[in-house]
Amino acid sequence: MAHLPGEQFEKKDMDIANQPSSCIHPDDSLHVHKVGMAPRQKFLKEFTDMLKETFFSDDPLRDFKDQPRSRKIILGFQSVFPILQWGRDYNLIKFRGDLIAGLTIASLCIPQDIGYSKLANLDPQYGLYSSFVPPLIYAFMGSSRDIAIGPVAVVSLLLGTMLQDEIDPSKNAADYRRLAFTATFFAGITQAALGILRLGFLIDFLSHAAIVGFMGGAAITIALQQLKGFLGIKNFTKKSDIISVMHSTWGSVHHGWNWQTILIGASFLAFLLFAKYIGKKNKKFFLVPAIAPLISVIISTFFVYITRADEKGVQIVNHIEKGVNPSSVDDIYFTGKYLGIGIKIGVVAGFIALTEAIAIGRTFASMKDYQIDGNKEMVALGLMNVVGSMTSCYVATGSFSRSAVNYMAGCQTTVSNIVMSCVVLLTLELITPLFKYTPNAILASIIISAVIGLIDIEAALLIWKIDKFDFVACMGAFLGVVFVSVEIGLLIAVSISFAKILLQVTRPRTAILGNIPRTTVYRNVQQYPEATKVPGILIVRVDSAIYFSNSNYVKERILRWLIDEDEQLKTNDLPRIQFLLIEMSPVTNIDTSGIHALEELYRSLHKRGVQLVIANPGPVVIEKLHASKFTDLIGDNHIFLTVADAVMTCAPKMKEEA
């Protein structure tokens, strides 16, 4: 049977791969290739390329290339307002999906907003205000089709905790509210600045593990804070740590708990959790958990009204201000002692809100196979919070629970946010007086049922299986939030994330390589126990760029490998190491400190009678080695394209010396 030419080549390649290196290269001089030098770039071009890759890796101006001026103006407006781009193809079919989704998330957001505003220590109407103006701004400027905008539990708690440390909301509500608007303004400025300056990569410094731990801890803290409303306690601690909360809860068990409140809260919490269970069990019933909070509010409000349970100690919402958002421009602190405090709180809240929104946007974008522009998202979120701060809103962002409902309800575009805003507007204008008799217990139940989903035990267990250090970061953030405060938990999360980065940079991995039998492939001997070390040659791979932060460690670690290997060989009466070969393919860059460390390593090896050899340095590395004259020190004949070439060249030299 005849073979195709391609099959013959494949068979030949396989035969070659299965032969030892001495057979593959019968004539050394013909097959040992020298390491190539990339064309040298001018410094200015190299610097501009680096800046472009750092800040403009997505090439945001590619659509503007070779376009007439009029088209560039249109593209500019579409870039700032994506609704102008997808709006041209909008139709009734898409509107039907957005209408259903908007009505569905509105039914979920109204009771949640009233509850979340209490977390922020603000009156209930401010939660509703924050689901009216910000979603409208985002609908015109945002690039995510699925994200639902409004107040969220974690940011509300963070804002409430940090604000009340500065101003007591019960004694000075007006100044507290002004500081909340100031923090919201600077949260928006922070978010927009990160997007405009294209510094969005900074939010990636908060690792996934730290976020899982922080969110889990925040969820438990939020749930514990709801014990005040759930149990009907009037005098409750203002601290958020679990010890203070439990002490306050059990301290009032005999004189502060109200059994009618507990009955209402427990009954509807069971109903809400059952509704969530049905929705998880069968995706077709996603509407059940979405409308369950609103149904709970309606039924409980009606029950309290007809039974006059408020006269028996059941705490109710009472008055909710009617009407649309009033202007709050004059309430923002632009001078005075609270300006710095507002900036500090705003920056922290802005970062957390941004992290949550970008994560949600990316999740649903990947599910629907479309791209979101992270920097545009930051600008959109920032501007909506800036405008929101001027219209009596506090920090709004993407809500995962509402976004999930929005997605499952069949939303097509951000018009679902507009529909939700319209429903909230009608609520503010017409329905708010009906919430007067809504019991605080039902709001507590709604918040508890909502935040339970933030505790991701499966993710924590997976983190434990994959990376123990990540699990430490996860638990550090979790315990910090639960036992100290939200701010301390966030600080721990960021600190551990940075510590991990520093540890990986300053202590890069190194490995001893051996030859995979019957191939010219060299791999980590720990990963491949069958790999054999080459007699007289120690092959070390450095799995990181070599910088000032790790250069000394890399040098000392390589010398330690050599000392350990020599001791082992001496014990077994085997020939000593004559060549130390560094496999540099993972070394993407090297600085002057790294080159200095290599020079010191060369001199140390020379005193021991060991020759330093380098294999496969990248274009940036070899260029710097040439520029520093290190190649003259080591000799061009000791720099090879592959480990196999280096071994093939060094092995005959050892035979000659023997």
Side-chain angles (χ1 to χ4, degrees):
M1 183 177 178
H3 292 280
L4 294 173
E7 292 177 340
Q8 292 174 355
F9 282 120
E10 289 178 11
K11 186 175 184 300
K12 184 178 179 182
D13 289 342
M14 290 176 63
D15 291 340
I16 290 173
N18 290 329
Q19 294 177 12
S21 58
S22 58
C23 297
I24 295 170
H25 302 286
D27 185 352
D28 296 351
S29 61
L30 294 176
H31 294 278
V32 175
H33 297 279
K34 293 294 182 182
V35 175
M37 284 280 292
R40 187 176 179 83
Q41 288 186 330
K42 292 183 178 179
F43 171 74
L44 184 60
K45 187 177 187 311
E46 186 178 352
F47 183 71
T48 53
D49 286 347
M50 182 191 70
L51 288 179
K52 183 179 178 182
E53 192 60 33
T54 303
F55 298 103
F56 303 96
S57 57
D58 55 343
D59 193 12
L61 300 178
R62 62 185 179 279
D63 294 333
F64 292 81
K65 293 175 182 175
D66 304 322
Q67 296 289 343
R69 186 175 181 181
S70 58
R71 179 61 181 163
K72 286 181 179 178
I73 293 173
I74 294 171
L75 289 172
F77 276 106
Q78 289 179 349
S79 178
V80 178
F81 303 102
I83 194 171
L84 298 176
Q85 185 174 9
W86 55 258
R88 294 176 301 172
D89 302 321
Y90 200 70
N91 53 45
L92 286 173
I93 297 173
K94 290 182 178 179
F95 177 70
R96 178 178 173 273
D98 287 333
L99 179 64
I100 294 170
L103 293 173
T104 305
I105 57 176
S107 68
L108 178 63
C109 86
I110 291 168
Q112 282 187 349
D113 291 345
I114 296 172
Y116 291 160
S117 61
K118 287 186 173 293
L119 276 177
N121 299 314
L122 294 167
D123 293 332
Q125 65 267 20
Y126 293 102
L128 295 171
Y129 292 160
S130 302
S131 279
F132 171 47
V133 173
L136 286 177
I137 305 297
Y138 182 84
F140 285 86
M141 300 187 68
S143 59
S144 172
R145 304 171 197 165
D146 303 280
I147 199 169
I149 297 296
V152 297
V154 174
V155 177
S156 299
L157 174 69
L158 178 68
L159 206 61
T161 304
M162 296 184 74
L163 289 172
Q164 75 177 3
D165 288 342
E166 306 297 335
I167 301 175
D168 190 334
S170 58
K171 295 180 181 178
N172 197 347
D175 284 346
Y176 180 90
R177 195 163 52 246
R178 290 186 65 185
L179 186 58
F181 297 149
T182 305
T184 301
F185 177 82
F186 286 106
I189 292 294
T190 300
Q191 293 169 335
L194 288 173
I196 293 169
L197 299 175
R198 305 188 69 80
L199 297 173
F201 59 85
L202 292 178
I203 65 172
D204 293 329
F205 280 95
L206 198 59
S207 69
H208 171 69
I211 292 172
V212 169
F214 176 78
M215 289 296 186
I220 289 177
T221 302
I222 291 166
L224 290 172
Q225 291 287 312
Q226 301 316 301
L227 291 176
K228 177 185 178 182
F230 191 84
L231 302 174
I233 302 171
K234 292 182 179 179
N235 298 317
F236 199 70
T237 181
K238 292 181 180 179
K239 296 180 180 179
S240 61
D241 63 283
I242 189 170
I243 296 173
S244 299
V245 170
M246 296 312 296
H247 183 268
S248 180
T249 301
W250 291 110
S252 56
V253 65
H254 295 298
H255 56 83
W257 293 18
N258 181 275
W259 71 266
Q260 294 98 331
T261 301
I262 296 172
L263 181 62
I264 293 170
S267 301
F268 283 100
L269 178 59
F271 168 68
L272 291 167
L273 293 176
F274 181 68
K276 288 188 79 170
Y277 173 77
I278 292 174
K280 272 189 175 182
K281 200 75 174 173
N282 193 330
K283 299 297 182 184
K284 293 180 181 178
F285 298 121
F286 70 90
L287 275 174
V288 174
I291 63 173
L294 187 59
I295 292 172
S296 301
V297 167
I298 294 170
I299 296 174
S300 62
T301 302
F302 180 71
F303 175 78
V304 171
Y305 176 73
I306 62 172
T307 61
R308 300 304 299 180
D310 57 309
E311 296 177 357
K312 298 172 185 177
V314 174
Q315 297 175 29
I316 58 175
V317 171
N318 278 320
H319 179 67
I320 298 181
E321 198 75 38
K322 187 179 178 181
V324 297
N325 308 31
S327 173
S328 57
V329 176
D330 296 334
D331 291 337
I332 299 173
Y333 288 112
F334 290 110
T335 57
K337 65 176 182 178
Y338 290 124
L339 174 61
I341 296 169
I343 293 173
K344 180 190 74 173
I345 297 173
V347 169
V348 175
F351 258 98
I352 294 299
L354 200 57
T355 302
E356 188 169 355
I358 296 298
I360 292 167
R362 286 173 178 170
T363 299
F364 289 104
S366 64
M367 290 168 70
K368 282 192 175 179
D369 194 27
Y370 68 90
Q371 297 292 322
I372 64 167
D373 188 322
N375 290 294
K376 287 181 183 177
E377 283 292 288
M378 292 174 195
V379 174
L381 292 164
L383 289 180
M384 83 177 187
N385 277 315
V386 169
V387 175
S389 69
M390 299 177 181
T391 52
S392 301
C393 303
Y394 72 95
V395 181
T397 187
S399 164
F400 190 84
S401 59
R402 272 175 264 176
S403 299
V405 170
N406 196 29
Y407 169 80
M408 289 187 288
C411 74
Q412 300 295 316
T413 65
T414 52
V415 170
S416 61
N417 277 285
I418 298 176
V419 174
M420 179 189 72
S421 295
C422 293
V423 175
V424 172
L425 173 62
L426 292 174
T427 303
L428 286 166
E429 288 287 3
L430 305 172
I431 308 175
T432 48
L434 301 178
F435 290 114
K436 179 180 178 180
Y437 290 98
T438 300
N440 288 340
I442 191 63
L443 300 178
S445 298
I446 290 170
I447 293 174
I448 291 170
S449 67
V451 299
I452 284 175
L454 296 176
I455 305 172
D456 198 340
I457 297 174
E458 289 183 4
L461 291 174
L462 184 62
I463 291 168
W464 167 259
K465 290 179 183 177
I466 295 172
D467 192 324
K468 301 300 185 289
F469 194 92
D470 263 358
F471 186 76
V472 171
C474 178
M475 292 309 297
F478 175 82
L479 296 174
V481 173
V482 171
F483 285 96
V484 187
S485 67
V486 178
E487 308 98 280
I488 295 299
L490 179 61
L491 181 63
I492 291 172
V494 173
S495 300
I496 294 178
S497 295
F498 270 102
K500 183 180 179 183
I501 294 171
L502 289 174
L503 187 63
Q504 291 176 340
V505 169
T506 58
R507 294 295 182 267
R509 293 183 182 275
T510 57
I512 298 292
L513 305 187
N515 177 243
I516 303 294
R518 297 181 301 279
T519 71
T520 57
V521 177
Y522 291 81
R523 292 291 181 266
N524 189 338
V525 294
Q526 290 185 340
Q527 184 179 1
Y528 297 92
E530 70 275 16
T532 57
K533 297 177 183 177
V534 181
I537 304 176
L538 179 63
I539 308 171
V540 181
R541 187 184 67 210
V542 180
D543 293 334
S544 166
I546 304 176
Y547 291 124
F548 65 93
S549 58
N550 62 22
S551 58
N552 195 52
Y553 169 79
V554 169
K555 179 195 72 175
E556 291 177 355
R557 188 69 188 91
I558 291 173
L559 286 173
R560 202 156 65 246
W561 279 123
L562 178 63
I563 293 168
D564 293 344
E565 192 70 16
D566 268 339
E567 287 178 355
Q568 189 176 351
L569 292 172
K570 189 176 181 180
T571 304
N572 297 323
D573 292 326
L574 294 173
R576 68 178 185 85
I577 298 296
Q578 298 180 44
F579 293 91
L580 191 145
L581 169 57
I582 303 178
E583 151 56 322
M584 298 190 74
S585 55
V587 181
T588 54
N589 207 337
I590 191 169
D591 66 1
T592 51
S593 297
I595 293 171
H596 184 64
L598 288 181
E599 290 172 348
E600 290 181 353
L601 177 63
Y602 171 80
R603 284 190 282 269
S604 297
L605 294 176
H606 188 69
K607 292 176 183 177
R608 296 170 179 268
V610 178
Q611 175 63 51
L612 179 62
V613 181
I614 290 175
N616 197 23
V620 175
V621 174
I622 192 64
E623 181 183 330
K624 291 183 177 181
L625 294 181
H626 272 288
S628 65
K629 306 297 183 184
F630 179 76
T631 51
D632 295 340
L633 178 67
I634 190 177
D636 282 328
N637 59 327
H638 292 122
I639 301 175
F640 297 91
L641 182 62
T642 66
V643 173
D645 286 349
V647 171
M648 180 185 65
T649 305
C650 296
K653 292 180 180 178
M654 290 191 298
K655 290 179 182 177
E656 289 173 8
E657 290 177 10

